[in-house]
Structure formats: structure tokens, C-alpha cells
């Protein structure tokens, strides 16, 4: 499990291979044997290791990938129990921080065992002309002050930087307005539907100055509104940061798993790239790597709720590199009585009638406050 906040990690064990058998709840078929493996923040992988070497102590080690950080390692020891404990001194081999061809080849060789046994199989069987697609370009931007001076560095998706709503939480508002008006319905002026295509199209390998420019387009609570069971696709397109560097982005979705149906270098082109998709046995996971200057296509089935979809680099998430999937929120209903409240509100008791509830301190609180946790 890569529980880091910013760095890609490469895992290797001296003189021992690893056989990948499971990734984020998906069984791999056929299993893939590797000497080392890259794990991005938020990703989880299960491997089998055979202790078939001379009994001794062997280093298990992680190195940093996709960032030029030297000398930073994580270490543990694989100890054969039949011999005396000792401190190993030999480190395993890791790929160079910016050499990714082998890692991409391994990723492209991971297939799902029996895809039809997963509830998400409907996403692979849906007619192509019924699938809604969002092509999303992630760019780094500057928010300007009143006098036009840069005041904050942000990340944006199709030139929209995600911010939290100021009046009430998104899930509380979505449930309320969908219950009142039916779904889909307008969520209000603080909320913005992410455009299905980037407003500016340029060579994404070039600097952003040659595209939409460095100044932020909009800040809003950005959403994609969907219906339960709807098959949709998000194509993530990498672009350079303002300093010219091309960063990796591990994209994670809450409440869903997605099929990684396609991946490529350069600029995504639906007219030609859809034909290259793997719709037979792609990898089903919930955290996919968007490699520098490439694209990744994710296909999934919408589940009721309000779900965050975000870059798993924590700083990028905080800086606006996220959106919310809002799916048939009225299905959720009011929160249960035992829901926990944030801050000093304690826990609540509620009759689920949609009116006020009584907190543990005896004060009345709106039932929507239960969604603030």
C-alpha cells in the first residue's frame, strides 16, 4: 500500500521476484512476475513471494519514482527463519526515477480474471453510442488578486479549480434539492458542471502559455451529474505544470471501481484511440496512474451517492484537482439517527423526517448537518 502523499514508490526485494495476483480487489489473470513494481499513492497490490534463495537476510526496499529525489528509501528485511538474524547490506536494483517504459509495459499486461463476474461488467457491454465521455485536462493555474497579481497556485480540470461550497456541504444540498425537484436538477450557483471537453485545445506537451494561459478560469464546486446505472467514461489528459515539468497523477474514485480501458502517449484522440481500447479483460481498480504527457481512459457504472474523484497527491487535491460525481442523490434519504457530527455537535438523534434533530448537547440542529462529517 502506498500511503504516501506525494511520491511514487518502486518496490523490490534483493534476489526475489514478486508475482502480482491482486490489485485493489481485482484478481489478476494471468499473474505477472516482476523484479520490481511501481505503486502510486492510494494504490494497493498483493504479491506472492517464494523463499527459494540461500537462507539469509534480504532487503525489501522502496525508492522514489517520477520525482528526482535521490537517497530516499524505505527499508525492511525479509528474514529466513532457519538462520541467524543479520543486517543485510546489499540493496535491490530499481529503475531510474524518470525511466518508465518497463513500468508501463507491466501495467499494460495486467488483466482482470473473469470480468463478467464483477458488477461493473455492464460498463464493458454498453453500446458505444450510449456512453457519455468527459475528456479532462488537468492544468496548473494561478489565481489572481483584485489588482491582477498572482496570489495562489492552483490545479484545475478543464480550467475549473474545485473548491468546497461555502453554504452547505455538497451531499446535503444534493439530497435536499433532488428530493424537492427530482433528478437531475440544478444544484445552484456555487456548483459547476465540468465541461465534457477542455475549453482550450492545444498541444498538451507544450507549455500552458500556448493553451489557456496560466490564469485560472473558474473556481467552483465542480461536479458531474449522473443517473444510477449510467455508463460513463472519463479520459484523463496530462499536461505540463507551470514550471514546464510533466507530473504523474494517481486518480482515485470513491464508491466505485473503474475499468482502465485505454492508455496512451501524447494527445488523446477519440476518433482513433477508442478503437484501441481493451473491452474484453481490462484491469478493474480504483486508483489509476496518469503518466506524464499521456492519457488514461476510465469507464465505470454510476452508483447512487456523492463521490469524490480526485488526484491522490494530497497537495494537488487541496489545490483543486478534483470533482464530485453526483448520482441520484435523493435515493440516499436523510441520515440515520446514529450519524456522527463534526466539531462540538456530538452525535445526533433524528426521526429522519427532514426537519430538525437533537444533538447530544440538547441543542436543535438541522438534519443536513449530519452530512458535515
Amino acid at each position: 500500500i502506498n500511503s504516501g502523499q506525494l511520491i511514487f514508490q518502486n518496490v523490490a526485494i534483493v534476489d526475489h521476484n514478486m508475482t502480482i495476483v491482486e490489485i485493489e480487489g481485482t484478481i489478476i489473470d494471468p499473474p505477472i512476475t516482476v523484479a520490481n513494481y511501481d505503486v502510486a499513492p492510494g494504490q494497493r497490490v498483493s504479491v506472492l513471494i517464494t523463499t527459494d534463495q540461500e537462507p539469509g537476510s534480504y532487503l525489501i526496499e522502496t525508492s522514489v519514482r517520477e520525482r528526482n529525489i535521490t537517497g530516499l528509501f524505505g527499508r525492511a528485511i525479509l528474514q529466513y527463519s532457519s538462520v541467524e538474524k543479520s543486517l543485510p547490506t546489499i540493496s535491490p536494483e530499481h529503475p531510474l526515477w524518470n525511466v518508465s517504459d518497463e513500468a508501463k509495459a507491466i501495467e499494460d499486461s495486467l488483466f482482470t480474471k473473469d470480468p463478467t463476474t464483477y458488477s461493473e461488467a455492464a460498463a464493458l457491454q454498453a453500446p458505444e453510442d450510449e456512453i457519455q465521455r468527459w475528456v479532462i485536462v488537468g492544468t496548473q493555474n494561478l489565481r489572481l488578486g483584485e489588482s491582477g497579481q498572482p496570489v495562489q497556485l492552483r490545479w484545475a480540470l478543464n480550467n475549473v479549480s474545485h473548491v468546497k461550497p461555502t453554504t452547505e456541504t455538497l451531499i446535503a444540498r444534493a439530497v435536499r434539492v433532488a428530493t424537492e425537484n427530482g433528478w437531475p436538477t440544478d444544484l445552484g450557483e456555487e456548483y459547476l458542471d465540468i465541461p465534457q471537453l477542455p475549453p482550450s485545445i492545444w498541444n498538451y506537451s507544450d507549455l500552458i502559455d500556448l493553451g489557456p494561459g496560466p490564469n485560472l478560469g473558474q473556481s467552483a464546486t465542480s461536479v458531474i451529474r449522473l443517473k444510477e446505472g449510467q455508463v460513463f467514461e472519463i479520459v484523463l489528459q496530462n499536461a505540463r505544470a507551470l514550471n514546464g515539468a510533466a507530473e504523474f497523477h494517481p486518480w482515485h474514485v470513491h464508491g466505485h471501481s473503474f475499468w482502465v480501458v485505454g492508455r496512451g502517449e501524447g494527445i488523446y484522440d477519440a476518433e482513433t484511440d477508442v478503437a484501441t481500447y481493451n473491452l474484453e479483460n481490462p484491469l478493474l481498480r480504483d486508483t489509476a496512474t496518469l503518466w506524464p504527457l499521456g492519457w488514461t481512459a476510465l469507464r465505470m457504472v454510476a452508483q447512487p451517492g456523492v463521490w469524490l474523484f480526485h488526484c491522490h497527491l494530497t497537495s494537488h487535491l487541496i489545490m483543486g484537482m478534483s470533482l464530485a460525481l453526483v448520482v441520484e442523490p435523493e435515493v440516499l434519504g436523510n441520515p440515520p439517527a446514529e450519524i456522527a457530527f463534526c466539531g462540538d455537535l456530538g452525535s445526533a438523534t433524528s426521526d429522519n423526517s427532514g426537519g430538525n434533530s437533537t444533538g447530544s448537547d440538547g441543542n436543535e440542529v438541522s438534519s443536513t448537518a449530519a452530512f458535515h462529517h
Side-chain angles (χ1 to χ4, degrees):
I1 300 172
N2 185 342
S3 61
Q5 297 189 55
L6 195 62
I7 60 171
F8 220 141
Q9 297 184 64
N10 180 265
V11 185
I13 308 173
V14 172
D15 293 340
H16 291 75
N17 287 328
M18 300 174 288
T19 300
I20 301 170
V21 295
E22 178 269 345
I23 291 180
E24 292 151 35
T26 297
I27 304 301
I28 303 303
D29 184 34
I32 301 295
T33 299
V34 298
N36 62 81
Y37 186 65
D38 285 339
V39 188
Q43 293 182 338
R44 294 90 65 204
V45 57
S46 298
V47 301
L48 299 179
I49 302 163
T50 302
T51 51
D52 55 1
Q53 299 300 303
E54 180 180 349
S57 300
Y58 297 86
L59 269 184
I60 305 170
E61 187 175 79
T62 65
S63 67
V64 178
R65 298 274 283 132
E66 298 301 324
R67 294 190 186 279
N68 191 10
I69 304 174
T70 60
L72 181 60
F73 300 98
R75 294 191 174 106
I77 297 172
L78 172 62
Q79 174 67 51
Y80 282 63
S81 60
S82 59
V83 296
E84 195 80 20
K85 293 180 180 178
S86 61
L87 188 64
T89 57
I90 299 174
S91 291
E93 291 187 6
H94 299 280
L96 297 175
W97 72 270
N98 58 348
V99 176
S100 304
D101 289 346
E102 183 181 356
K104 293 174 183 177
I106 292 172
E107 184 176 293
D108 293 342
S109 300
L110 297 169
F111 304 112
T112 297
K113 179 179 175 65
D114 298 330
T116 58
T117 62
Y118 293 87
S119 61
E120 294 88 353
L124 302 179
Q125 300 159 356
E128 189 66 33
D129 59 0
E130 295 181 6
I131 296 170
Q132 271 195 288
R133 176 179 295 118
W134 280 261
V135 179
I136 294 178
V137 179
T139 54
Q140 200 174 51
N141 304 77
L142 293 172
R143 186 171 67 83
L144 304 182
E146 292 183 1
S147 60
Q149 80 282 12
V151 296
Q152 192 177 49
L153 189 65
R154 301 287 296 173
W155 282 96
L157 303 177
N158 286 357
N159 224 20
V160 181
S161 185
H162 184 84
V163 293
K164 293 180 180 180
T166 59
T167 53
E168 59 184 324
T169 56
L170 173 55
I171 190 169
R173 183 172 185 84
V175 169
R176 179 171 59 78
V177 299
T179 301
E180 293 171 354
N181 304 327
W183 187 255
T185 189
D186 181 47
L187 293 172
E189 62 181 16
E190 284 191 274
Y191 305 88
L192 184 67
D193 292 305
I194 283 283
Q196 287 190 247
L197 292 173
S200 298
I201 297 176
W202 79 101
N203 180 351
Y204 304 118
S205 299
D206 288 335
L207 296 177
I208 194 172
D209 286 338
L210 301 175
N215 297 337
L216 187 63
Q218 298 182 73
S219 292
T221 302
S222 45
V223 301
I224 292 178
R225 293 180 295 162
L226 301 158
K227 294 185 177 181
E228 180 180 3
Q230 182 176 343
V231 176
F232 67 105
E233 183 178 309
I234 293 178
V235 180
L236 301 165
Q237 172 72 60
N238 194 288
R240 294 184 184 274
L242 290 181
N243 63 3
E247 300 197 33
F248 79 98
H249 301 284
W251 278 89
H252 173 66
V253 64
H254 293 199
H256 298 70
S257 290
F258 42 62
W259 301 98
V260 186
V261 294
R263 186 197 65 77
E265 307 299 319
I267 300 172
Y268 176 78
D269 184 347
E271 290 189 6
T272 56
D273 288 328
V274 171
T276 69
Y277 283 3
N278 174 13
L279 300 179
E280 298 297 321
N281 58 351
L283 182 60
L284 181 70
R285 66 184 313 169
D286 62 39
T287 311
T289 301
L290 175 60
W291 293 90
L293 301 183
W295 58 269
T296 299
L298 313 174
R299 192 170 288 191
M300 59 192 113
V301 182
Q303 306 296 326
V306 176
W307 311 105
L308 197 63
F309 179 69
H310 63 94
C311 177
H312 218 290
L313 302 183
T314 307
S315 57
H316 293 191
L317 164 62
I318 293 170
M319 294 162 67
M321 205 171 201
S322 63
L323 58 84
L325 306 176
V326 186
V327 186
E328 302 267 359
E330 74 277 15
V331 174
L332 302 180
N334 289 316
E338 64 273 13
I339 198 76
F341 281 78
C342 290
D344 59 0
L345 293 177
S347 59
T349 57
S350 171
D351 60 6
N352 287 338
S353 64
N356 289 344
S357 308
T358 303
S360 60
D361 56 1
N363 295 324
E364 277 199 330
V365 292
S366 167
S367 62
T368 56
F371 289 91
H372 291 183
H373 183 66

